[in-house]
Amino acid sequence: RQLQDLLEVCLFAMKHLQVCRIQPKLLFVLRDQHDRSHGVHGDALRLMRKHLAEASNHLEIKLDDLIALDPGSVFLLPSAFASDLDPHTGQEIRWSTELFAQEALRLRRKIFSDGTSGLAPTCTDGESAPEFSTLPDWCLHAMSVWRVLDRYGPNLLHYKTIQEIEVQREFEDLVKQISAQLINGESGLAAQAKALLSSCTRRLADGEPSEQVDTEFRSSLQALLDT
């Protein structure tokens, strides 16, 4: 569940930042798997995709427009080492397995193949992404993304779950409604301030001392703000 919560918050951050025009591909790598059949983690992956799709609906975006999460996204690796007892000494011996090396090499090839397919990653609209065409372009893009992250600071990813984001949005909407009612509503701050301004304007037109009117205006306006 923690991994799913992290991915949901990442979806929120991706939509909020809007600095990535390509579609990232997620790949889950699990080590020390004794049962490496394809159906072992298929149900868990489908369930995670379902929850991520529900979270993206709350954010009013489509999951497929942000990330690529296909059935082949789970890569199961065997144990890197094998162990047994030496028949002559009775001591435990360990050695690295050829199978793990071959599978790790296959995983590396898959990552590089996905990253370099078509010479450059493509955007969600099918056009090539120029920021990934050359290494200098990629460096400039990475610097721009980092500047955005640095500008937003730690507040962008301080949420733990998508529920916290929804609660925060509800609070923000509620605060906006209350503020609008207190300021622009009938007998609100704006109406009272206009009435105060009109009263002081009339007093000045009647010839009252400007210093006295100004002092009373400032004190009355501060009293309105305090209440």
Side-chain angles (χ1 to χ4, degrees), residues 144-154:
S144 65
V145 173
W146 183 257
R147 281 195 295 267
V148 175
L149 290 172
D150 186 61
R151 184 171 69 250
Y152 279 101

Side-chain angles (χ1 to χ4, degrees), residues 33-93:
Q33 300 297 306
H34 298 288
D35 187 357
R36 298 173 56 230
S37 57
H38 294 290
V40 173
H41 298 280
D43 292 338
L45 182 63
R46 285 189 290 270
L47 182 61
M48 176 176 289
R49 181 180 177 82
K50 176 183 177 182
H51 289 311
L52 289 178
E54 293 175 352
S56 63
N57 289 334
H58 288 299
L59 297 174
E60 299 179 355
I61 54 178
K62 292 183 179 180
L63 179 63
D64 294 332
D65 292 340
L66 286 181
I67 61 174
L69 187 61
D70 53 64
S73 298
V74 178
F75 208 94
L76 304 178
L77 294 177
S79 177
F81 298 93
S83 61
D84 204 347
L85 292 178
D86 190 319
H88 302 290
T89 62
Q91 295 180 347
E92 181 180 357
I93 56 176

Side-chain angles (χ1 to χ4, degrees), residues 7 25 28 48 59 71 90 92 116 123 140 150 161 169 220:
L7 292 175
K25 295 183 179 181
F28 300 95
M48 176 176 289
L59 297 174
E92 181 180 357
T116 59
C123 308
L140 291 175
D150 186 61
T161 65
R169 284 184 169 182
S220 299

Side-chain angles (χ1 to χ4, degrees), residues 80-179:
F81 298 93
S83 61
D84 204 347
L85 292 178
D86 190 319
H88 302 290
T89 62
Q91 295 180 347
E92 181 180 357
I93 56 176
R94 301 182 68 200
W95 64 92
S96 58
T97 64
E98 180 67 20
L99 177 60
F100 179 85
Q102 292 294 333
E103 290 298 302
L105 182 59
R106 187 165 68 91
L107 171 61
R108 179 182 178 184
R109 288 171 178 167
K110 177 177 176 59
I111 293 174
F112 277 91
S113 175
D114 292 341
T116 59
S117 58
L119 299 181
T122 56
C123 308
T124 54
D125 54 7
E127 298 180 357
S128 61
E131 57 266 30
F132 288 87
S133 58
T134 64
L135 181 58
D137 292 334
W138 179 85
C139 289
L140 291 175
H141 175 69
M143 291 172 60
S144 65
V145 173
W146 183 257
R147 281 195 295 267
V148 175
L149 290 172
D150 186 61
R151 184 171 69 250
Y152 279 101
N155 293 330
L156 181 63
L157 294 175
H158 80 283
Y159 300 104
K160 293 182 179 180
T161 65
I162 197 69
Q163 286 78 15
E164 290 187 11
I165 298 176
E166 294 177 350
V167 171
Q168 179 71 20
R169 284 184 169 182
E170 291 179 1
F171 277 130
E172 290 178 354
D173 293 338
L174 183 59
V175 169
K176 289 180 181 179
Q177 293 177 4
I178 295 175
S179 299

